[in-house]
Amino acid sequence: MPEDGRYSTPVAAELADDVLDRFLRYVRIDTQSDDDSTTYPSTAKQRDLGELLARELAELGLEDAAIDEHGYVFATLPGARGPTIGLIAHVDTSPDESGAEVQPQVVHYSGGDIQLPGNTRSVLRPSESVLLAEKVGHDIITSDGTTLLGADDKAGVAEIMAAVAYLAKHPEVEHATVRVGFTVDEEVGRGVDHFDIAAFGADFAYTFDGAEIGRIDDETFSASEVRVRVEGHSVHPGTSKGKMVNSVKLAAALVERLPKDTLSPETTEEREGFVHPHRIVGTAAEATVTFICRDFDLTKLREYEQLLRDLAAAIEREEPRARLTVEVEDSYRNMKEFLDARPRILEAADEATRRIGLEPTRSAIRGGTDGAVLSERGLLTPNIYTGGQEYHSVLEWVSVQDMAVSAATAVELAKLWAEPEWAQT
């Protein structure tokens, strides 16, 4: 065991400085994606980090490291034997809060609240972020409270990079061939739209895009996006009596008819699904409400979509001068449907977690990952912990020690799959 008890293995202790240095460097690069963009990636600035990563991978000796036309970064770390495993993370950050001019701070945590320096209203409290209370003695990274930190998913990016750097630095450590993949636009649901699985060449993969250390995600929501377009009739408000059909009001009526005490993110937990109106745009003449529907059970997901069709039809019957059009687009499927076919992939993640001193747990994500889409398309890809917490908010935080443990898990995965017991499965 290392001298510093905050690290579960000597490898984790060795990785800590590198993963911290990389993370602080990466979060200062604005990579926020844009849901309204029609380009790919949705923002050109995502390529800024991608180009840096490609250079750093090449400097580590990964000769094929490159960024492609879509903004993906791919590279190969050749190994001794066994399958080729993929390690994947996404470079973009959420549009929910600003990702520009991130000012990270590192706080040696001794307990209690952490006041973020840029905003007096931004206070990280263990009473609200309950895992923080377990991190006394850790080095906690936050933003200044005015932006995202970017741990989702630059923690995963830094951890994979640190793990690859460790393996490149220690050629005496036998490991399987590793394919590194950094994607774009995950936060806007388009992360692997152009991901060429055959060209990537991995037998299976792991996304490093989870949260609490020790927790391996083997299940996601199944998800769809439902867009309800409301077409009314606009007339000058001074002469509109009996003529105007206000699309904004009809859109509001549609949202108002959703269940009040259930089927929403703010009223559900664990395995309960929801119908979430997350965007409304328009005018009196025309408006669009965009919903995201989620459930672990595909049958229930279809029921939620039908609920929105029924509500739209009811409003149309009540106001026959309006037209409501419902469009449904599948986003991703519950990856458990696919992962169950090859249990050894998850068993290896469990074993790697034990080897770095944690007892693994399996969990279901109330969300999705690039791995959900890749698993459906044939590249089975469960999700590994990164240590990040309070994602998509200005209170986002991560422990340096937890990132080091996650990076050590990536190292153990690469080593494990080269061992005879695992290499033949």
Side-chain angles (χ1 to χ4, degrees):
M1 288 290 291
E3 210 173 284
D4 188 337
R6 298 175 298 173
Y7 301 99
S8 55
T9 67
V11 172
E14 182 175 340
L15 287 167
D17 287 345
D18 188 34
V19 78
L20 172 61
D21 179 67
R22 292 179 186 279
F23 182 72
L24 294 179
R25 188 161 66 249
Y26 301 157
V27 297
R28 288 186 169 93
I29 302 172
D30 182 6
T31 58
Q32 193 171 46
S33 48
D34 180 359
D35 204 23
D36 293 326
S37 172
T38 58
T39 65
Y40 200 94
S42 63
T43 54
K45 58 191 177 183
Q46 292 179 64
R47 294 185 64 93
D48 294 342
L49 179 52
E51 288 167 357
L52 173 63
L53 294 170
R55 289 196 301 272
E56 291 186 352
L57 287 164
E59 290 166 0
L60 292 173
L62 280 64
E63 296 178 357
D64 63 346
I67 182 170
D68 72 9
E69 60 185 304
H70 305 298
Y72 298 139
V73 177
F74 295 131
T76 307
L77 180 67
R81 66 180 68 84
T84 296
I85 69 169
L87 302 179
I88 299 172
H90 65 89
V91 302
D92 65 311
T93 59
S94 169
D96 291 350
E97 296 281 358
S98 173
E101 298 183 6
V102 174
Q103 300 296 321
Q105 64 165 351
V106 182
V107 177
H108 184 73
Y109 186 56
S110 57
D113 297 349
I114 300 176
Q115 171 66 61
L116 306 191
N119 184 349
T120 57
R121 297 172 59 190
S122 295
V123 182
L124 188 56
R125 298 182 173 91
S127 59
E128 297 170 353
S129 189
V130 294
L131 288 178
L132 183 62
E134 301 175 8
K135 306 303 177 184
V136 172
H138 283 224
D139 300 307
I140 303 298
I141 312 172
T142 75
S143 75
D144 68 353
T146 64
T147 69
L148 296 171
L149 173 61
D152 183 11
D153 183 30
K154 291 172 186 173
V157 173
E159 289 156 7
I160 291 172
M161 288 293 296
V164 170
Y166 175 89
L167 292 170
K169 180 182 176 182
H170 294 278
E172 73 281 3
V173 176
E174 289 193 345
H175 58 83
T177 294
V178 174
R179 280 289 278 165
V180 177
F182 296 126
T183 64
V184 296
D185 282 348
E186 190 269 356
E187 296 290 0
V188 294
R190 302 194 288 271
V192 292
D193 280 5
H194 299 281
F195 193 104
D196 188 332
I197 290 175
F200 188 55
D203 294 292
F204 49 84
Y206 300 91
T207 48
F208 278 70
D209 193 16
E212 180 183 355
I213 58 168
R215 196 181 79 178
I216 298 159
D217 301 319
D218 64 347
E219 190 169 3
T220 60
F221 275 142
S222 286
S224 63
E225 182 175 272
V226 180
R227 292 178 294 276
V228 181
R229 182 184 178 197
V230 185
E231 297 175 82
H233 181 61
S234 180
V235 180
H236 189 286
T239 58
S240 62
K241 184 176 181 180
K243 303 174 186 176
M244 180 182 288
V245 180
N246 192 318
S247 295
V248 172
K249 287 186 175 181
L250 294 177
L254 174 67
V255 174
E256 178 63 22
R257 295 187 188 196
L258 292 171
K260 300 294 188 296
D261 300 320
T262 185
L263 277 191
S264 66
E266 60 269 29
T267 61
T268 56
E269 61 182 352
E270 296 180 350
R271 297 191 66 84
E272 299 170 320
F274 55 76
V275 177
H276 175 42
H278 78 110
R279 182 177 175 84
I280 182 168
V281 294
T283 64
E286 182 181 315
T288 299
V289 188
T290 303
F291 301 83
I292 56 174
C293 298
R294 303 285 190 269
D295 204 280
F296 294 101
D297 185 328
L298 185 60
T299 300
K300 289 183 179 179
L301 180 70
R302 299 310 182 210
E303 291 173 359
Y304 304 159
E305 295 162 0
Q306 188 59 46
L307 169 65
L308 292 173
R309 292 189 187 96
D310 292 344
L311 292 176
I315 290 174
E316 201 172 53
R317 286 194 299 271
E318 295 166 13
E319 177 48 271
R321 295 175 297 169
R323 182 183 179 192
L324 280 76
T325 305
V326 181
E327 297 179 350
V328 178
E329 182 178 352
D330 284 339
S331 302
Y332 51 85
R333 294 268 295 278
N334 187 340
M335 64 182 176
K336 187 172 178 60
E337 299 176 34
F338 313 102
L339 292 176
D340 282 349
R342 293 186 65 186
R344 289 288 274 178
I345 296 171
L346 280 159
E347 290 167 5
D350 290 341
E351 177 60 20
T353 302
R354 293 187 188 97
R355 292 184 184 188
I356 52 90
L358 297 177
E359 185 57 36
T361 58
R362 301 276 186 90
S363 67
I365 315 169
R366 287 180 59 82
T369 67
D370 281 339
V373 181
L374 291 172
S375 294
E376 183 179 1
R377 287 171 49 190
L379 181 64
L380 300 184
T381 309
N383 193 38
I384 305 297
Y385 45 88
T386 67
Q389 298 293 321
E390 305 298 335
Y391 288 159
H392 293 206
S393 82
V394 297
L395 297 179
E396 191 178 11
W397 63 273
V398 68
S399 153
V400 174
Q401 287 69 35
D402 287 355
M403 284 198 298
V405 165
S406 180
T409 305
V411 171
E412 292 300 329
L413 275 170
K415 290 167 57 181
L416 177 153
W417 281 110
E419 296 172 3
E421 176 188 351
W422 292 90
Q424 303 305 315
T425 61

